[in-house]
Amino acid sequence: MRAAIFQLFASHSPALCSGIRQLTRISCRFRMEGPAASQQSGETIITEGKASVLYPSANQVFYNPVQEFNRDLTCAVLTEFARMQLAEKGIDIVVPGERESKKVVVNLSDNGDDGDVPFPENAAPSSRRTVTVGESCPEGLRVLEGLAASGLRSIRFAKEVPGLQSVIANDFSSSAVELIKRNIKYNDVENLVTASYSDARLLMYNRMAKQDRFDVIDLDPYGSPAMFLDAAVQSVCDGGLLCVTCTDMAVLAGNNGETCYAKYGAMSLKSRFCHEMALRILLHALDLRSNCYQRYIVPLISISADFYIRVFVRVFTGQAKVKMSASKQTLVYNCVGCGTFHLQRMGRAIAHGNNVKHSAGCGPPVGMNCEFCRQRHQVGGPIWAEALHDKEFVQRVLSASERNPKRFGTSERIEGMLSVVTEELDIPLYYTLDNLSSTIRCSTPGLLPFRSALLHAGYKVSLSHACQNAIKTDAPPSVIWDIMRCWVSPHFFFYVCICESFKLAIH
Ligand SMILES: C[S@@+](CC[C@H](N)C(=O)[O-])C[C@H]1O[C@@H](n2cnc3c(N)ncnc32)[C@H](O)[C@@H]1O
Ligand SMILES: [Zn+2]
């Protein structure tokens, strides 16, 4: 059967084939069990992570196996977030299967600034407590899953993440809420998880008062989360965590720029860098929404995977930092001919001693026509132009996964993805080698020679987790096209070009 599927898609793209391979592998890993005690006729039990969840078999809408990676990664992120938050309160979390490792000093009061704070481990060991999975911790995280469907994600939090105080699994479909209630019982997590039947927006707007806010809000909708963002940024506590999925990739990747603008306040572009641009559009939307309420975001991890994107951001309150937000967003000028792109920040922030002067950005950074191919530019954005990830946090999640490699069904993929993320440059967007070569109709240079050419010319370079053949670099487009020109000349000249660029970079 599997062979037949691959045969069927043999003529399609490698990405599609690898997606199908992934899907078949995933569906084979799930245990679809036969009738069990509290199972009703026609129902299926699906086990994912430590949760076994009842599903009406006829309604596969409730369960999406491809999102296992999304749920695994969220459990991993939540665990590290809980570890950080509770360490401050003198509480250590116990993660099943985790090997002992050296404790890490964390800056918990961080609102984007560097600098360590005293680790509460200084507290005498006797005054420290531990908290285990499944136990409700009064000082622990208050979690809301706004769009919970079967409750699988919330139940997994309860059974896999230590350091939680409570989890609300909410949905506005009555049949979903009935299922959530049964699944809570079936998994014996009534002490931690409560089902809720409400429009997620109303629920969040009702929890805006400081004492009522959530530490973590997870939004995992069908399609766009745009309509939930305003309520979410107001009902998460200071320093709290928002976990947001978008599956409306066509909109975010430039198929309907005007729809993207209506939803996220940014124009998307059909381009090679569309997956990273999608992440940056979502971060722009989250920051802009937060700014309305004197709040701003600090991204922890931003991932593009399969057919969706997922971001984990902290939301902080602070008027001075909010003023910086204009200078954290950029417009994108993208040549429709050769794909060259230029960025232009919306604002400028210049430090004068202890003060910061804010002004409008300067531009445009390009002429009417592209300097390389004379074609016109399309303008996209504004998008988030700062870091997509907090590398220190990413490293914490990665190290925890390496210490506990059997924790999740998709641990290997988490480690692979986060390893690339830790190396990723914080420079927005990328070029792809196949696009560069197809523009000038030549063979595609290998990643290694292209990378060395940039490094030898004195520029930074990295891969991107969001696209296989991508090159992120701080080199200006003129250098990239110079290298491509050298690539099409005999290789001797390529070598000379590298040396010349290297000399130029030094002098
Ligand atoms: C993609 S499913 C959620 C999947 C779930 N998070 C998981 O990981 O298994 C989206 C759910 O959102 C619910 N939903 C859509 N709009 C909603 C709203 N305004 N308020 C609450 N729930 C909503 C739908 O009923 C559906 O069950
Ligand atoms: Zn051009």
Side-chain angles (χ1 to χ4, degrees):
M1 173 65 175
R2 276 212 249 179
I5 296 175
F6 289 132
Q7 190 67 30
L8 186 65
F9 287 97
S11 58
H12 289 264
S13 70
L16 180 57
C17 291
S18 93
I20 292 161
R21 218 169 284 128
Q22 178 94 5
L23 250 171
T24 43
R25 215 180 299 136
I26 286 167
S27 58
C28 295
R29 199 167 54 231
F30 287 114
R31 236 181 331 124
M32 300 280 200
E33 292 175 357
S38 54
Q39 201 177 351
Q40 289 174 4
S41 86
E43 279 186 342
T44 307
I45 299 169
I46 292 174
T47 299
E48 187 188 284
K50 296 276 181 284
S52 290
V53 179
L54 302 163
Y55 280 96
S57 312
N59 191 349
Q60 288 309 322
V61 168
F62 280 118
Y63 181 65
N64 186 354
V66 183
Q67 293 275 21
E68 183 191 7
F69 173 70
N70 181 327
R71 287 182 284 265
D72 283 355
L73 180 63
T74 307
C75 287
V77 167
L78 237 63
T79 303
E80 291 322 299
F81 189 62
R83 200 192 305 268
M84 284 164 57
Q85 300 290 65
L86 291 183
E88 223 191 15
K89 298 171 182 167
I91 302 171
D92 295 321
I93 60 166
V94 179
V95 184
E98 194 163 272
R99 290 194 296 265
E100 270 296 309
S101 82
K102 221 173 126 256
K103 298 239 165 58
V104 189
V105 177
V106 197
N107 182 350
L108 292 160
S109 67
D110 190 1
N111 47 16
D113 296 329
D114 291 326
D116 289 341
V117 290
F119 192 57
E121 264 190 355
N122 299 342
S126 57
S127 68
R128 296 190 69 79
R129 300 191 346 249
T130 56
V131 58
T132 55
V133 163
E135 164 187 348
S136 170
C137 170
E139 301 89 341
L141 305 179
R142 294 152 299 171
V143 182
L144 167 68
E145 187 191 3
L147 317 159
S150 65
L152 167 62
R153 189 179 291 253
S154 293
I155 291 166
R156 287 199 56 189
F157 293 163
K159 297 189 93 162
E160 298 178 41
V161 180
L164 306 183
Q165 184 191 115
S166 60
V167 183
I168 295 180
N170 175 73
D171 206 286
F172 77 169
S173 144
S174 56
S175 53
V177 176
E178 278 318 302
L179 195 60
I180 293 171
K181 283 182 182 160
R182 290 182 54 221
N183 279 326
I184 291 172
K185 261 202 178 139
Y186 191 75
N187 283 274
D188 205 12
V189 288
E190 291 104 318
N191 64 326
L192 273 172
V193 189
T194 314
S196 154
Y197 178 32
S198 171
D199 185 309
R201 287 166 293 185
L202 283 182
L203 191 159
M204 291 188 279
Y205 282 130
N206 280 327
R207 300 287 294 259
M208 287 181 345
K210 259 191 182 157
Q211 68 281 6
D212 296 334
R213 292 179 187 165
F214 297 99
D215 299 291
V216 179
I217 299 179
D218 189 304
L219 297 173
D220 178 51
Y222 297 126
S224 171
M227 68 177 79
F228 304 107
L229 302 186
D230 183 68
V233 300
Q234 294 181 76
S235 53
V236 70
C237 69
D238 198 22
L241 180 67
L242 293 185
C243 318
V244 184
T245 308
C246 299
T247 59
D248 55 337
M249 289 310 289
V251 167
L252 284 161
N255 274 349
N256 302 89
E258 68 292 345
T259 308
C260 187
Y261 183 81
K263 287 180 189 291
Y264 300 96
M267 201 73 185
S268 56
L269 297 176
K270 236 184 216 170
S271 58
R272 294 295 162 145
F273 47 69
C274 62
H275 288 109
E276 184 178 315
M277 184 151 174
L279 284 169
R280 292 182 179 278
I281 287 173
L282 174 59
L283 293 174
H284 162 74
L286 281 162
D287 197 48
L288 191 60
R289 278 286 115 214
S290 308
N291 292 168
C292 293
Y293 310 104
Q294 278 82 52
R295 311 191 95 184
Y296 60 94
I297 62 156
V298 175
L300 293 185
I301 301 183
S302 313
I303 291 289
S304 163
D306 304 320
F307 54 87
Y308 63 90
I309 55 170
R310 175 84 166 156
V311 300
F312 301 91
V313 304
R314 294 184 77 182
V315 178
F316 291 95
T317 310
Q319 219 165 4
K321 286 278 176 89
V322 169
K323 284 173 181 251
M324 299 295 293
S325 276
S327 53
K328 294 178 182 170
Q329 321 297 325
T330 182
L331 290 173
V332 183
Y333 290 80
N334 179 220
C335 170
V336 296
C338 66
T340 299
F341 65 86
H342 289 82
L343 305 176
Q344 182 197 322
R345 299 259 178 168
M346 300 294 290
R348 283 197 304 166
I350 301 160
H352 288 292
N354 284 339
N355 298 324
V356 181
K357 190 172 176 299
H358 300 276
S359 57
C362 292
V366 291
M368 277 302 285
N369 297 99
C370 171
E371 63 181 295
F372 304 105
C373 74
R374 311 309 305 160
Q375 294 259 23
R376 68 201 152 79
H377 293 104
Q378 50 179 356
V379 186
I383 62 169
W384 177 257
E386 297 290 306
L388 291 178
H389 324 281
D390 172 339
K391 297 284 172 58
E392 215 179 289
F393 185 80
V394 176
Q395 191 54 57
R396 291 171 62 82
V397 179
L398 181 57
S399 308
S401 182
E402 286 164 351
R403 291 200 300 276
N404 203 349
K406 294 207 169 72
R407 186 171 179 206
F408 302 116
T410 65
S411 285
E412 231 176 89
R413 188 171 177 201
I414 291 177
E415 283 174 39
M417 182 83 90
L418 296 187
S419 304
V420 178
V421 162
T422 51
E423 304 285 322
E424 227 170 68
L425 287 179
D426 287 336
I427 295 157
L429 310 182
Y430 44 73
Y431 290 93
T432 65
L433 292 176
D434 46 334
N435 192 48
L436 291 173
S437 54
S438 73
T439 302
I440 55 171
R441 296 196 178 80
C442 68
S443 62
T444 308
L447 211 54
L448 273 182
F450 199 85
R451 187 173 163 271
S452 352
L454 283 165
L455 287 175
H456 279 105
Y459 296 102
K460 294 180 191 155
V461 56
S462 81
L463 302 176
S464 161
H465 81 278
C467 176
Q468 218 180 20
N469 229 352
I471 290 275
K472 290 173 82 67
T473 179
D474 59 349
S478 55
V479 170
I480 288 166
W481 288 117
D482 274 351
I483 294 175
M484 285 309 290
R485 271 192 287 272
C486 293
W487 172 250
V488 288
S489 1
H491 284 200
F492 169 72
F493 289 111
F494 183 53
Y495 174 71
V496 172
C497 174
I498 292 172
C499 296
E500 281 306 310
S501 312
F502 187 38
K503 269 189 249 152
L504 278 177
I506 290 173
H507 297 303

